[in-house]
Amino acid sequence: MVKVFKVGVNGYGTIGKRVADAIVKNPRFQLLGIVKYTPDYSSRIAFKKGINIYVPAEKWSDFESQGIKPKGTIQEFLEESSIIVDASPNGKGAANLPMYKAAGKPAIFQGGEKPEVAELSFSAYCNYDDAVGRKYLRVVSCNTTGILRILCVLHREFTVKRAKVLVIRRGADPKEDARGPINSIKLESIGDVSHHGKDAMLVLPDVKIISQAVVVPTTLMHVQYLDIDLGQPVTKSQVIEALSRYARILLVDPGKTGLDSTSKLTEAARDLLRGRNDIYENIVFENTVIVSENNVSLLQAIHQESIVVPENVDALYAVANIKIPFEKVVEETDRLLGIGGLKDVF
Amino acid sequence: MVKVFKVGVNGYGTIGKRVADAIVKNPRFQLLGIVKYTPDYSSRIAFKKGINIYVPAEKWSDFESQGIKPKGTIQEFLEESSIIVDASPNGKGAANLPMYKAAGKPAIFQGGEKPEVAELSFSAYCNYDDAVGRKYLRVVSCNTTGILRILCVLHREFTVKRAKVLVIRRGADPKEDARGPINSIKLESIGDVSHHGKDAMLVLPDVKIISQAVVVPTTLMHVQYLDIDLGQPVTKSQVIEALSRYARILLVDPGKTGLDSTSKLTEAARDLLRGRNDIYENIVFENTVIVSENNVSLLQAIHQESIVVPENVDALYAVANIKIPFEKVVEETDRLLGIGGLKDVF
């Protein structure tokens, strides 16, 4: 019989609410509940959905006065969880770590935390086997996840020597009505490189990865430009074929499908009635794949809100030390999230 | 004594009005006037400025009824011009060519025309000497001009073998209130590459230049990512030093100046009281210049409305066959337009 792990999700923002929903879909895990600090609209929606809400003891009455009956306190949350997914705001995860350690509970952190928060920075296509049995994992950020899926697939197939990445970052998430830019293309950093490449190299240390980023006025998805030097000459069809074998990478032909922008991709996700119009897959624009000897470049769209959800679920398998091989883990995660089905549509 | 050439500007849109103003500033040329087809606000402003307006004979009364007294007809415009700058809408230049030929007048076309419209596609830093004495030139488009300034400088100094370019294109010009996207990152093309690279190779045929482009919701400037393989290893300071020697390339350090976005660059141009807040220079973000052996990459901002203005003026020198060397031509063009002065400010 499959052991059911109780997973507590600390933080119910962009990532936390999606991971909570993903856990509900997966019979190996039970969603113990979520931690909320304010009785806002998302607490109310979670409560209406029947999700258990744990709150700081001193906030109990704030929730009750809003008609939201908490299930328990944070102390009870820590005691009852078998594994915690920390999806709290950037940097808050590190502050929570001592609490998880004191309770003796394993935890999965997000890419907004510094790498030191965990034993290993994690991206399933790259280092699942190394993650199995670990107590603390950090799922790398949305852009780094998007980069690493491609690089690790190509590294496995052809060996990647070096990659340069330009991230064209969305300015804000759809709900963030106070962020910009409205009419500008902005450097993400005044340094020479962005953090994505360094972060990716934590997971794939034998490849030199250099990244830069600009921020643009859109909320839907990032677009990334990857320029990759392989250890051997390849053909375009070899690259396409290799990428096609992985369900979390979806090659889309804009000429055939009309899907030539992040807004049209989002509309397709809406029409497919995907929850929250989430797109878990890297969307590689097939026409943009250019191959010349051992050099490959491509453009891909990355849905910043949802791309890390499958990797968070994989991380639960690893921390729970579930004894099935990597291929079976991602197949199961993907099937339960509906990943892969789009290959037939596009 | 310097011979004064009468220059007629056919078309008074984004490029035409700027080239007309540049001609007024240059004592070697006299602005004969402009051709307008409708008595709209820009006709009215030109008329108030004292610019001669030539109109189709059948539109004469339309202009007069709006209080705009035309100077003459298009036939008179053709007869009185010594050189014509065609800044009419994309593709219209080719339709105008037979008219210029019939009148025996040399003409300068814009990058929106197909290359066949002219004898030579032109970018001053690349092929001025080859352009001298030609009758028909085509100044390449804004993005291609931005790409070629960098490549031709580096080619001259270090030999460029290959360049890959990603253009992050502004969606619309400030005045264009019917274009998008509003909230999307869109591929410019469903083909494998954009036209910019092919266009650049017309001017720099011994370098392999591959370009792709995405369109984003902003009106101010393009941003370009250039990845360049040189014929020899270089250092970052050699690259910076080479680029710094050319007035139309301005290296800006965002850490020192705070200029880390196209909106802040535009604000600086406004504060400097540049006409129409035009930025004639490639703005290379100095922090983004990454050099590794013979590979150089950088990000630069390109003001799509004004970047081709100096090259249009240079093209007039070439077509007028003015007997001064290339260095003197660009120095004179730059000085009269105020290019180069910003090096002291930033």
Side-chain angles (χ1 to χ4, degrees):
Chain A
M1 191 45 218
V2 169
K3 184 173 169 191
V4 174
F5 298 88
K6 288 187 182 175
V7 181
V9 177
N10 188 5
Y12 196 65
T14 301
I15 295 175
K17 63 189 175 186
R18 287 174 167 84
V19 172
D21 286 357
I23 291 164
V24 169
K25 288 180 183 162
N26 193 310
R28 293 190 189 265
F29 304 102
Q30 181 195 328
L31 179 65
L32 172 76
I34 62 171
V35 175
K36 281 291 297 178
Y37 293 81
T38 47
D40 60 8
Y41 77 91
S42 70
S43 300
R44 194 176 298 272
I45 293 172
F47 184 66
K48 290 260 182 198
K49 280 179 163 178
I51 293 173
N52 296 327
I53 301 178
Y54 293 81
V55 305
E58 69 275 16
K59 297 274 187 82
W60 193 285
S61 59
D62 292 356
F63 280 81
E64 278 200 331
S65 69
Q66 295 289 320
I68 301 167
K69 172 115 183 61
K71 176 73 174 180
T73 64
I74 294 182
Q75 197 50 48
E76 290 167 308
F77 172 86
L78 292 168
E79 286 162 14
E80 294 166 26
S81 295
S82 356
I83 308 173
I84 292 160
V85 175
D86 185 291
S88 51
N90 290 352
K92 187 87 192 333
N96 291 337
L97 176 60
M99 182 167 84
Y100 306 149
K101 283 190 167 164
K105 296 302 162 76
I108 293 160
F109 297 91
Q110 306 305 316
E113 301 302 319
K114 293 213 173 77
E116 301 75 42
V117 77
E119 296 163 51
L120 185 74
S121 287
F122 172 73
S123 192
Y125 281 6
C126 306
N127 61 354
Y128 180 82
D129 288 340
D130 193 14
V132 173
R134 301 269 189 174
K135 197 155 184 184
Y136 301 107
L137 291 179
R138 168 179 173 263
V139 175
V140 294
S141 69
C142 53
N143 269 309
T144 308
T145 296
I147 293 165
L148 280 172
R149 284 186 188 166
I150 299 291
L151 292 187
C152 288
V153 165
L154 294 182
H155 193 52
R156 186 173 297 195
E157 305 282 334
F158 311 112
T159 312
V160 175
K161 294 286 181 200
R162 196 197 65 151
K164 291 178 88 169
V165 179
L166 182 69
V167 176
I168 306 170
R169 233 194 59 190
R170 63 87 184 91
D173 285 345
K175 71 169 183 288
E176 295 174 320
D177 50 18
R179 290 179 68 173
I182 283 183
N183 188 16
S184 194
I185 303 172
K186 188 176 187 312
L187 297 183
E188 190 185 64
S189 144
I190 58 168
D192 56 346
V193 296
S194 69
H195 69 280
H196 312 102
K198 294 171 196 163
D199 211 22
M201 281 192 286
L202 295 173
V203 178
L204 197 55
D206 47 339
V207 178
K208 185 169 166 86
I209 308 170
I210 295 169
S211 68
Q212 296 180 312
V214 295
V215 189
V216 298
T218 179
T219 63
L220 303 174
M221 304 177 83
H222 306 301
V223 168
Q224 299 177 340
Y225 176 72
L226 274 67
D227 187 84
I228 303 161
D229 288 337
L230 301 174
Q232 59 183 90
V234 287
T235 63
K236 175 162 174 167
S237 59
Q238 284 178 304
V239 171
I240 300 275
E241 197 274 320
L243 297 177
S244 301
R245 260 184 281 131
Y246 293 78
R248 293 180 194 170
I249 297 170
L250 184 60
L251 288 130
V252 166
D253 177 345
K256 205 178 80 183
T257 61
L259 295 168
D260 63 351
S261 69
T262 58
S263 53
K264 288 182 194 135
L265 288 169
T266 303
E267 186 73 359
R270 297 170 75 201
D271 289 342
L272 289 161
L273 305 182
R274 282 204 166 188
R276 297 186 178 90
N277 50 262
D278 284 349
I279 302 175
Y280 303 116
E281 299 90 344
N282 290 30
I283 306 292
V284 175
F285 294 109
E286 194 170 331
N287 60 316
T288 69
V289 179
I290 294 185
V291 178
S292 171
E293 299 182 18
N294 69 328
N295 178 260
V296 179
S297 62
L298 58 83
L299 286 162
Q300 62 175 348
I302 300 296
H303 183 222
Q304 75 280 0
E305 296 173 289
S306 67
I307 193 113
V308 299
V309 172
E311 274 75 2
N312 267 276
V313 177
D314 302 334
L316 284 170
Y317 280 74
V319 168
N321 207 354
I322 294 174
K323 299 290 185 200
I324 57 173
F326 161 65
E327 292 75 13
K328 180 87 174 71
V329 169
V330 296
E331 183 279 320
E332 199 167 285
T333 299
D334 291 352
R335 181 168 38 79
L336 295 168
L337 287 171
I339 293 171
L342 295 187
K343 301 224 181 206
D344 305 327
V345 180
F346 298 131
Chain B
M1 190 45 216
V2 169
K3 184 175 170 192
V4 174
F5 298 87
K6 289 188 182 174
V7 182
V9 177
N10 187 4
Y12 196 65
T14 302
I15 295 176
K17 62 189 177 187
R18 288 175 166 84
V19 172
D21 286 357
I23 291 164
V24 168
K25 288 180 182 162
N26 193 309
R28 292 189 188 266
F29 304 102
Q30 181 196 326
L31 179 65
L32 171 77
I34 63 171
V35 175
K36 281 291 298 179
Y37 294 81
T38 46
D40 60 8
Y41 77 92
S42 71
S43 300
R44 195 176 297 272
I45 293 172
F47 184 67
K48 290 260 183 199
K49 280 181 164 177
I51 294 174
N52 296 328
I53 300 177
Y54 293 82
V55 306
E58 68 276 15
K59 297 274 187 81
W60 193 285
S61 58
D62 292 356
F63 280 81
E64 279 201 329
S65 69
Q66 297 288 321
I68 301 167
K69 171 115 183 66
K71 176 71 175 179
T73 63
I74 293 181
Q75 196 50 48
E76 290 167 308
F77 171 86
L78 291 168
E79 286 162 13
E80 294 166 25
S81 297
S82 352
I83 307 173
I84 292 160
V85 175
D86 185 290
S88 51
N90 290 352
K92 187 88 193 334
N96 292 336
L97 176 60
M99 184 168 81
Y100 305 149
K101 283 191 165 163
K105 297 302 163 76
I108 293 160
F109 296 90
Q110 306 305 317
E113 301 302 318
K114 293 215 173 77
E116 301 74 42
V117 77
E119 296 162 51
L120 185 74
S121 287
F122 172 73
S123 192
Y125 281 5
C126 306
N127 61 354
Y128 180 82
D129 288 341
D130 193 14
V132 174
R134 301 270 189 172
K135 198 156 184 185
Y136 300 107
L137 291 180
R138 168 180 172 262
V139 175
V140 294
S141 69
C142 53
N143 268 310
T144 308
T145 296
I147 293 165
L148 280 172
R149 284 186 187 166
I150 298 293
L151 293 187
C152 288
V153 165
L154 294 182
H155 194 52
R156 187 174 296 195
E157 305 282 334
F158 311 112
T159 310
V160 175
K161 293 287 181 200
R162 195 198 65 150
K164 291 178 90 169
V165 179
L166 182 69
V167 176
I168 306 170
R169 235 192 60 191
R170 64 86 184 92
D173 286 343
K175 71 170 182 286
E176 295 174 319
D177 50 18
R179 289 178 70 173
I182 283 182
N183 187 14
S184 194
I185 303 173
K186 189 176 187 309
L187 297 184
E188 189 186 64
S189 142
I190 58 168
D192 55 347
V193 295
S194 68
H195 70 281
H196 311 102
K198 294 172 194 161
D199 212 22
M201 281 194 283
L202 295 174
V203 179
L204 196 56
D206 47 338
V207 178
K208 185 170 166 87
I209 308 169
I210 295 168
S211 68
Q212 296 180 314
V214 294
V215 188
V216 298
T218 179
T219 63
L220 303 174
M221 304 177 82
H222 307 300
V223 168
Q224 299 177 340
Y225 175 71
L226 274 64
D227 187 86
I228 303 161
D229 288 337
L230 301 174
Q232 58 182 92
V234 287
T235 63
K236 176 164 176 168
S237 59
Q238 284 179 303
V239 171
I240 301 276
E241 198 275 321
L243 297 177
S244 301
R245 262 184 279 132
Y246 293 79
R248 293 180 194 170
I249 297 169
L250 184 61
L251 287 130
V252 166
D253 177 347
K256 205 179 79 185
T257 60
L259 294 168
D260 63 351
S261 70
T262 58
S263 52
K264 288 181 192 136
L265 289 168
T266 303
E267 187 73 358
R270 297 170 75 202
D271 289 342
L272 290 161
L273 304 182
R274 282 204 166 189
R276 297 186 178 91
N277 50 263
D278 284 349
I279 302 176
Y280 302 116
E281 299 90 344
N282 290 31
I283 306 292
V284 174
F285 294 109
E286 195 170 331
N287 60 316
T288 68
V289 179
I290 294 185
V291 178
S292 170
E293 299 183 19
N294 70 328
N295 179 262
V296 179
S297 62
L298 58 83
L299 286 161
Q300 62 175 349
I302 301 296
H303 183 222
Q304 75 280 359
E305 295 172 290
S306 67
I307 192 115
V308 300
V309 173
E311 273 75 2
N312 267 275
V313 177
D314 302 333
L316 284 170
Y317 280 74
V319 168
N321 208 353
I322 294 174
K323 300 290 183 197
I324 57 173
F326 161 64
E327 292 75 13
K328 180 89 176 70
V329 169
V330 295
E331 183 280 319
E332 199 168 285
T333 299
D334 291 353
R335 180 167 38 79
L336 294 168
L337 287 171
I339 293 171
L342 295 187
K343 300 222 181 207
D344 305 327
V345 181
F346 298 131

